[in-house]
Amino acid sequence: MFISFALVAVVVGYVVGPAAWQWTAATDRQAELSDYTDRVFEQFTNISAPPSDTDLVAQLKAASTSPQAGPIVLTYHDIGYNSSEYTVTPEAFASQMQLLADAGWQTLSAGQLSDWLDGKPLPPHSVQITFDDGAHGIWQYADPILARNNQRAVAYVITGFVGTRNPYYATWSELTRMHASGRWDIQAHTHLGHIEIPTDAAGHTGPFLTNLQYLPEANRVETPSEFRTRVSEDLLESKKQLVTHGFPEPQFFAYPFSAHTEVAGVEGVLGEAVQSLFKAAMLDTPRAAVATRPSELAVGNVDRMDMTSDVSIETFAERILAVSPISPAGVQPLSIANQWTTYTEDHVRLTMDDSGGAVIDPGPLGYVGRLFAPLKTGLWNRYTVDAVLGGFGRAGEGTATGLTVLTKDPQQVDISVSADSYTISQLKGTEVRVLAQGKLPVAGSHQAEVAVDFGSVTVKIDGRQVSSTPLVRSGTYVPAGGIQLTGYRQTAESPVPRVLELSVR
């Protein structure tokens, strides 16, 4: 079977890290279960951290906050001294946790994340610390460091590998002690599914949860029904093992390798199984700042940032600051010209004119969008935008200036205004659905007021309501997203789109 380009990228960029520490056959892993399963190894309590950089402490203390925000979630794998990219040294981890403690940041439990999914705001200046796989270093090194700082974490455990690899993985006794301390929540990361499986007779492999397995004895790949059974049984067994060993039933699941897009023929099967068994699933992005996106939340996923061995303390703080949320209450986006990006979220400085307005120039025959701080505003779900959209000269000149709300959410709404008309539209899948359109008195600019609430998006142009669009909620998903400014020019003679005023409340 062929693996999609996106999945190949995930496998190449991620599997070579943590997967290098996994064995190649689940049966081999099970065979290695030994007296290590219940052994408790010595903890290292003497790992010290140098004094935190006072400038970084001040920056984190001053970081923006918002009640309309998702969790900042960090992912670690092992803490120790091996050479893997996915192993952070105890000293580096101690410095990172010390910085959070000195800056007054709170670490979140699995229960607090669950409460957030139910609609309860997160505490300001909070972050969740997570560990994937259940490597032994979380007991020997991470736990004493967390204890010293009165911090907590979440461990996503491969239940079938507990106590194996003599002893790469933490034991059940160690995990039990971690949970009993009140510092740790133990969650699911498959039973025996954190491996690659054969996908064809030529020996190609792919992640267990997203590929049809090649069955050499039958000289074929498994059927979709067999795939569904194999995946579901592994997920169920991971939950069963945790409960059997005395832990609360897990609410959350972390995708191994962050691979969650199935090959052709079984699309949606894995997501359906995960959503039926867990409250949410955790993704993982290495080497970048990332915040939970509305499109992922809509299908039950939470985004995390991977902390690898090459992350300096400055980069650690920088990534947290990059996703620290901005509140919509009273913000003046045009006064923060360095917080704008392209639609693909590449940073770009907003071009301003002499009057303090924004120039949104795509060039002739062009269309362009500028997003306001998408990593910091991506989960805004209740706000009102006031904007003056202009740059117009006369009717029919081929210029349109626009405003988008709930940007990148599956229910985003686009407002486009020209000298003498308006169009309100919504992207549904790959199709644009026109919600309302009409004529306006010819003018150089028009006032737009767009109110986003939990149940609707209401648009007024020049003080007159022209559209009210209902929003659909589903489970823990609430439509959310920040704002975007857009510009369109039909010809070289078309005036340059401008946003003369912009405020959010």
Side-chain angles (χ1 to χ4, degrees):
M1 301 295 294
F2 291 96
I3 304 175
S4 70
F5 178 82
L7 183 54
V8 169
V10 169
V11 172
V12 170
Y14 191 87
V15 171
V16 294
W21 290 95
Q22 313 298 342
W23 304 332
T24 56
T27 53
D28 292 340
R29 291 172 169 79
Q30 286 292 81
E32 289 291 326
L33 287 171
S34 65
D35 61 329
Y36 287 103
T37 301
D38 293 316
R39 184 174 172 182
V40 177
F41 286 77
E42 178 185 3
Q43 289 188 310
F44 294 91
T45 60
N46 60 345
I47 304 300
S48 61
S52 298
D53 183 285
T54 55
D55 183 54
L56 294 180
V57 170
Q59 290 181 52
L60 286 174
K61 283 185 175 181
S64 55
T65 64
S66 171
Q68 296 186 40
I72 299 173
V73 188
L74 310 182
T75 309
Y76 296 85
H77 290 82
D78 197 8
I79 305 297
Y81 294 104
N82 66 57
S83 59
S84 168
E85 177 187 3
Y86 289 88
T87 299
V88 173
T89 67
E91 289 77 12
F93 181 69
S95 294
Q96 293 166 3
M97 296 304 102
Q98 187 66 53
L99 177 60
L100 291 175
D102 290 343
W105 279 59
Q106 178 178 337
T107 51
L108 300 172
S109 67
Q112 287 172 296
L113 180 61
S114 178
D115 289 344
W116 172 73
L117 289 168
D118 290 336
K120 183 178 180 179
L122 294 166
H125 289 166
S126 60
V127 61
Q128 187 170 81
I129 309 300
T130 69
F131 290 86
D132 280 5
D133 304 340
H136 204 248
I138 67 175
W139 161 253
Q140 288 194 296
Y141 296 109
D143 183 56
I145 292 169
L146 294 171
R148 185 171 68 220
N149 293 314
N150 195 29
Q151 294 166 321
R152 60 179 307 135
V154 182
Y156 287 89
V157 175
I158 310 167
T159 54
F161 301 172
V162 172
T164 67
R165 206 177 175 205
N166 302 328
Y168 178 72
Y169 295 98
T171 68
W172 284 117
S173 295
E174 291 165 343
L175 294 172
T176 298
R177 293 191 182 198
M178 288 163 60
H179 181 258
S181 73
R183 287 186 293 275
W184 292 86
D185 298 299
I186 311 300
Q187 302 292 309
H189 197 37
T190 73
H191 178 57
L192 294 171
H194 201 307
I195 58 171
E196 291 201 340
I197 56 172
T199 58
D200 58 29
H204 295 105
T205 62
F208 177 98
L209 292 179
T210 57
N211 288 270
L212 291 169
Q213 181 169 312
Y214 179 71
L215 307 173
E217 67 281 1
N219 194 27
R220 64 174 177 85
V221 295
E222 64 188 348
T223 65
S225 176
E226 290 168 331
F227 171 85
R228 183 186 297 273
T229 298
R230 174 172 59 82
V231 166
S232 296
E233 287 182 349
D234 185 86
L235 298 178
L236 282 166
E237 186 63 22
S238 70
K239 295 187 69 171
K240 177 184 175 182
Q241 286 290 321
L242 290 174
V243 173
T244 298
H245 284 87
F247 300 100
E249 183 175 341
Q251 293 183 288
F252 298 103
F253 172 77
Y255 285 106
F257 321 126
S258 202
H260 60 290
T261 303
E262 308 95 320
V263 296
V266 288
E267 298 96 331
V269 172
L270 173 60
E272 179 184 322
V274 169
Q275 288 181 47
S276 70
L277 294 172
F278 301 95
K279 193 163 189 175
M282 315 302 283
L283 304 180
D284 206 15
T285 300
R287 294 174 288 279
V290 65
T292 295
R293 295 159 286 179
S295 57
E296 291 293 357
L297 196 58
V299 292
N301 296 332
V302 174
D303 288 281
R304 302 180 294 172
M305 296 186 285
D306 215 339
M307 296 292 114
T308 47
S309 62
D310 60 339
V311 174
S312 66
I313 193 67
E314 291 80 13
T315 300
F316 175 81
E318 179 183 295
R319 290 185 183 169
I320 291 175
L321 291 168
V323 299
S324 294
I326 294 174
S327 173
V331 69
Q332 302 288 324
L334 297 186
S335 68
I336 317 175
N338 64 347
Q339 288 287 343
W340 294 79
T341 76
T342 64
Y343 197 79
T344 54
E345 299 187 12
D346 296 317
H347 281 283
V348 58
R349 191 172 184 85
L350 201 63
T351 302
M352 309 300 292
D353 61 24
D354 293 339
S355 65
V359 178
I360 314 295
D361 187 5
L365 294 173
Y367 174 89
V368 70
R370 294 289 181 258
L371 281 68
F372 175 61
L375 291 178
K376 295 172 172 285
T377 66
L379 290 181
W380 282 1
N381 54 44
R382 194 171 191 178
Y383 58 96
T384 298
V385 186
D386 296 297
V388 178
L389 309 177
F392 315 127
R394 56 182 174 76
E397 63 196 350
T399 291
T401 307
L403 169 67
T404 300
V405 295
L406 300 176
T407 306
K408 293 196 173 184
D409 185 89
Q411 299 181 69
Q412 79 170 40
V413 174
D414 300 286
I415 299 93
S416 178
V417 177
S418 66
D420 66 337
S421 65
Y422 67 87
T423 300
I424 317 298
S425 59
Q426 189 174 48
L427 187 65
K428 285 290 188 180
T430 59
E431 296 184 359
V432 175
R433 180 166 67 99
V434 175
L435 305 174
Q437 58 187 173
K439 287 293 186 178
L440 297 170
V442 176
S445 64
H446 296 281
Q447 171 77 39
E449 178 186 288
V450 187
V452 177
D453 207 335
F454 294 131
S456 65
V457 173
T458 302
V459 181
K460 294 180 180 179
I461 304 293
D462 295 336
R464 180 173 63 90
Q465 181 173 316
V466 298
S467 174
S468 183
T469 305
L471 299 174
V472 178
R473 302 174 62 171
S474 176
T476 59
Y477 158 69
V478 176
I483 62 172
Q484 176 187 213
L485 303 179
T486 61
Y488 169 75
R489 290 176 64 194
Q490 190 174 53
T491 70
E493 288 71 39
S494 300
V496 175
R498 282 178 161 79
V499 179
L500 309 180
E501 297 176 18
L502 182 67
S503 61
V504 187
R505 52 188 167 89

